[in-house]
Amino acid sequence: MPERVGVVGLGIMGFPMARNLLRAGFAVSVTNRTIARAEPLRADGATVCATPKEVASQSDLVISMVTTSSDVEAVTFGDDGIADGAHPGLLAVDMSTISPDVAKDVARRAAERGFRTLDAPVSGGEIGAIEARLTIMIGGDDGDVERAMPVFRALGKTIVHMGPHGAGQATKLANQIAVVLNNLGVSEALVFAAAQGLDLAKTREVIASGAGGSWAMANYAPKILSGDFSPGFMVDLQQKDLRLALDAAYATKTSLPGTALTHTLYTALQQAGGGREGNHSLIKAIEKLSGVEARAKKTSG
Amino acid sequence: MPERVGVVGLGIMGFPMARNLLRAGFAVSVTNRTIARAEPLRADGATVCATPKEVASQSDLVISMVTTSSDVEAVTFGDDGIADGAHPGLLAVDMSTISPDVAKDVARRAAERGFRTLDAPVSGGEIGAIEARLTIMIGGDDGDVERAMPVFRALGKTIVHMGPHGAGQATKLANQIAVVLNNLGVSEALVFAAAQGLDLAKTREVIASGAGGSWAMANYAPKILSGDFSPGFMVDLQQKDLRLALDAAYATKTSLPGTALTHTLYTALQQAGGGREGNHSLIKAIEKLSGVEARAKKTSG
């Protein structure tokens, strides 16, 4: 069982995850590109390091929680990266959402350098990270997954070993496909209802209770109706994940017409300067096309 | 309170609804284009009539449960239709899914002929009809809705007065938009997962538990993975409803790119002879485009 756990990347997700590891009793060392982000964790007992190399050298298991595939490659194999601090028995667990092919490549290169890896992306967002209720989708070898389980249990609730290296990332991308199409369903249903002059709060409630129901209808639609477009999960990051899904689909000649369409609609949001709004602002693209806004009114039919 | 209730149309939905009305203690008269369909209800105490006119003449409230807008116009205003048997105080409640504009037109014409109407389409399918657990979305006047409530309570659980004539139909169409896009989300997520070589049962479970979850992921995906494409709700009927939604959207210049795309994919299913399969066979269109089948295997990763 790993006793010393490192965290590389202390953003919206990595920061509360590091805090949960401290609470669970692990010896935690951390680093971040902007090192000031790490300071509050020092007070909680974390060791603040200057580089991923330094974190890796004093950890049994090191988590990376960064943004892009190239970020993962940089913190793992770049100058002063995890590989430079690797030692026999080090397990590097990347919990960012990146390309399944890059995850496989990282595993192969790590094996050459004498350490092991898992890909273990998460869903559940900032709130899931704070409350240690993440869903964790894992790709890699059985023994490594078993070794990492005490760490995963400190971070999440639904923890599933999906298959070999890359399978965690592939599962995360499949999840994002479902998320954005459910989100599109919310968007088009509410815009249609608004154009038909319906009471939108009632419409949402009726749809949510039946065969049109979804996590998105339960969670995004009330925010939309109240005009709250703060993230949650940002359009720019959702778009990054859709790009990964469409790249992986392209590589296997998998045709995903709805995902491709939704990706294009998110692009229009980014073009209009909305990349840092919440995922549910997808409806703004449909509203713009349709010349109608879907917001709740006080009056009802 | 209506004591005598008529049912015109004894198909998959109308038949069990008539039975539930009998169970609830109403005096029920029924008719159907194919009159033999009505015979089992006679044994339960229903009066079997030759025409909608005859049903209307002996009912306080008459339900129509047929297929298309023109079916509703025919049973209401055609030869020996409901209007021909109308009397002061008759309330004609159309529970079919039809055009909101036709529902408004039916209300206007009925008023000219001296009887009143509601549009009250349902969701919940055959099982909801059998178990008296339908969701009922109502358009019309307050007093008429109140009068019909004892009848609705014998048929459904979630009963919502959405607004004036046509608002029930518009809500149903908004619901169908959400249903088909959630269904597309299931289809593309599972096809992607299959192409990536993932264990599909595990993938489904992980997605269903989080932000990608939906009624469709909970109910359609297991049938897909087991290869069961029986209806449930048929592609031909879903396609009819999408046509109504897109017609209503066209009339208000509402742009629904995802709904339009999904309509086109259902068309391909119909073209291939799959119109009488279940709604969740939408995935077959994505499978065909992608050259991969999403079925559960015994082996797991």
Side-chain angles (χ1 to χ4, degrees):
Chain A
M1 159 159 180
E3 293 174 356
R4 301 173 305 156
V5 179
V7 180
V8 174
L10 300 169
I12 286 176
M13 301 297 286
F15 186 92
M17 289 163 66
R19 186 157 268 172
N20 285 328
L21 291 167
L22 286 162
R23 282 189 188 134
F26 293 103
V28 177
S29 54
V30 300
T31 193
N32 194 53
R33 195 157 42 186
T34 309
I35 200 70
R37 268 296 276 176
E39 282 309 317
L41 293 169
R42 193 196 297 272
D44 294 342
T47 304
V48 177
C49 301
T51 63
K53 171 186 176 182
E54 197 183 328
V55 171
S57 68
Q58 58 192 272
S59 297
D60 305 311
L61 183 155
V62 59
I63 289 168
S64 50
M65 194 54 163
V66 292
T67 305
T68 67
S69 297
S70 57
D71 291 337
V72 172
E73 290 173 317
V75 301
T76 311
F77 299 111
D79 289 346
D80 292 321
I82 291 166
D84 287 341
H87 48 88
L90 177 70
L91 179 57
V93 180
D94 178 44
M95 302 187 77
S96 325
T97 297
I98 66 164
S99 153
D101 279 345
V102 172
K104 286 178 211 169
D105 193 52
V106 165
R108 187 186 51 71
R109 291 171 67 187
E112 288 170 9
R113 297 284 290 268
F115 66 103
R116 305 189 60 80
T117 68
L118 296 173
D119 50 296
V122 303
S123 76
E126 183 180 11
I127 189 76
I130 290 169
E131 295 179 353
R133 301 183 56 83
L134 295 168
T135 294
I136 305 175
M137 297 154 264
I138 311 164
D141 294 344
D142 285 340
D144 297 324
V145 174
E146 201 177 321
R147 194 147 65 97
M149 280 306 285
V151 173
F152 290 144
R153 279 195 217 102
L155 301 172
K157 289 287 175 208
T158 305
I159 301 161
V160 187
H161 183 196
M162 291 301 306
H165 292 295
Q169 296 296 350
T171 305
K172 172 68 185 281
L173 299 182
N175 181 72
Q176 298 301 67
I177 289 168
V179 168
V180 300
L181 282 164
N182 295 349
N183 194 10
L184 186 61
V186 168
S187 303
E188 296 201 5
L190 290 181
V191 166
F192 176 85
Q196 294 288 311
L198 294 174
D199 180 298
L200 297 180
K202 278 188 189 176
T203 301
R204 189 209 74 83
E205 203 181 320
V206 170
I207 296 176
S209 73
S214 63
W215 185 96
M217 190 63 82
N219 292 277
Y220 287 155
K223 285 191 184 179
I224 291 166
L225 297 188
S226 70
D228 172 11
F229 290 100
S230 61
F233 185 63
M234 288 192 300
V235 164
D236 282 341
L237 290 176
Q238 184 60 272
Q239 191 68 317
K240 180 207 77 165
D241 291 359
L242 284 186
R243 190 89 224 143
L244 292 170
L246 290 169
D247 282 348
Y250 179 75
T252 51
K253 294 190 173 53
T254 306
S255 173
L256 304 175
T259 307
L261 169 65
T262 312
H263 181 61
T264 297
L265 293 168
Y266 278 109
T267 301
L269 297 180
Q270 293 181 302
Q271 176 58 38
R276 297 182 69 81
E277 289 202 299
N279 201 4
H280 53 294
S281 65
L282 177 61
I283 195 171
K284 292 188 179 182
I286 306 298
E287 289 175 336
K288 203 166 193 176
L289 291 171
S290 296
V292 62
E293 269 201 1
R295 303 290 176 274
K297 285 174 286 198
K298 294 270 155 100
T299 56
S300 89
Chain B
M1 159 160 180
E3 293 175 355
R4 302 172 306 157
V5 179
V7 180
V8 174
L10 301 168
I12 285 175
M13 301 296 286
F15 187 92
M17 288 164 66
R19 188 158 265 172
N20 285 329
L21 291 167
L22 286 161
R23 283 188 188 135
F26 293 102
V28 177
S29 55
V30 299
T31 193
N32 195 52
R33 196 158 42 187
T34 310
I35 200 71
R37 266 298 276 176
E39 283 308 318
L41 292 168
R42 193 196 296 275
D44 294 340
T47 303
V48 177
C49 300
T51 64
K53 172 186 175 180
E54 198 183 328
V55 171
S57 68
Q58 58 191 273
S59 297
D60 306 310
L61 183 155
V62 59
I63 290 167
S64 50
M65 195 53 165
V66 293
T67 306
T68 66
S69 298
S70 57
D71 291 338
V72 172
E73 291 172 317
V75 300
T76 310
F77 299 110
D79 290 345
D80 292 322
I82 290 167
D84 287 342
H87 49 86
L90 177 69
L91 179 57
V93 180
D94 179 42
M95 301 186 78
S96 327
T97 297
I98 66 164
S99 154
D101 279 344
V102 172
K104 287 178 212 172
D105 193 52
V106 165
R108 187 187 50 74
R109 292 170 68 186
E112 288 169 8
R113 297 283 292 264
F115 65 102
R116 307 190 59 81
T117 68
L118 296 173
D119 51 295
V122 303
S123 75
E126 183 179 12
I127 189 75
I130 290 169
E131 296 179 352
R133 300 183 55 84
L134 294 168
T135 294
I136 305 176
M137 296 153 265
I138 312 165
D141 295 342
D142 285 340
D144 296 326
V145 174
E146 200 176 322
R147 194 146 66 96
M149 279 305 287
V151 174
F152 291 144
R153 277 194 218 102
L155 302 171
K157 289 286 174 210
T158 304
I159 301 161
V160 187
H161 183 195
M162 291 301 306
H165 293 294
Q169 296 297 350
T171 305
K172 173 68 185 281
L173 299 182
N175 181 73
Q176 299 300 69
I177 289 168
V179 168
V180 301
L181 282 164
N182 295 349
N183 193 10
L184 186 61
V186 169
S187 303
E188 296 200 5
L190 291 180
V191 166
F192 176 85
Q196 295 287 312
L198 294 174
D199 180 298
L200 297 180
K202 279 189 189 176
T203 301
R204 189 208 75 81
E205 203 181 320
V206 170
I207 296 177
S209 74
S214 64
W215 186 96
M217 191 62 82
N219 291 275
Y220 286 154
K223 285 191 184 180
I224 290 166
L225 297 188
S226 71
D228 172 11
F229 291 99
S230 62
F233 186 63
M234 287 192 301
V235 164
D236 282 341
L237 290 176
Q238 185 60 272
Q239 192 67 317
K240 180 208 76 164
D241 291 358
L242 284 186
R243 191 89 222 142
L244 292 170
L246 291 169
D247 283 347
Y250 178 76
T252 52
K253 297 190 173 50
T254 306
S255 174
L256 304 175
T259 307
L261 169 65
T262 313
H263 181 62
T264 298
L265 293 168
Y266 278 109
T267 301
L269 297 179
Q270 293 180 302
Q271 177 58 36
R276 298 182 67 81
E277 289 201 301
N279 201 4
H280 53 295
S281 66
L282 177 60
I283 196 171
K284 291 187 178 181
I286 306 297
E287 289 176 335
K288 201 166 194 175
L289 290 171
S290 297
V292 62
E293 270 201 0
R295 303 288 176 274
K297 285 175 284 198
K298 294 271 157 101
T299 56
S300 88

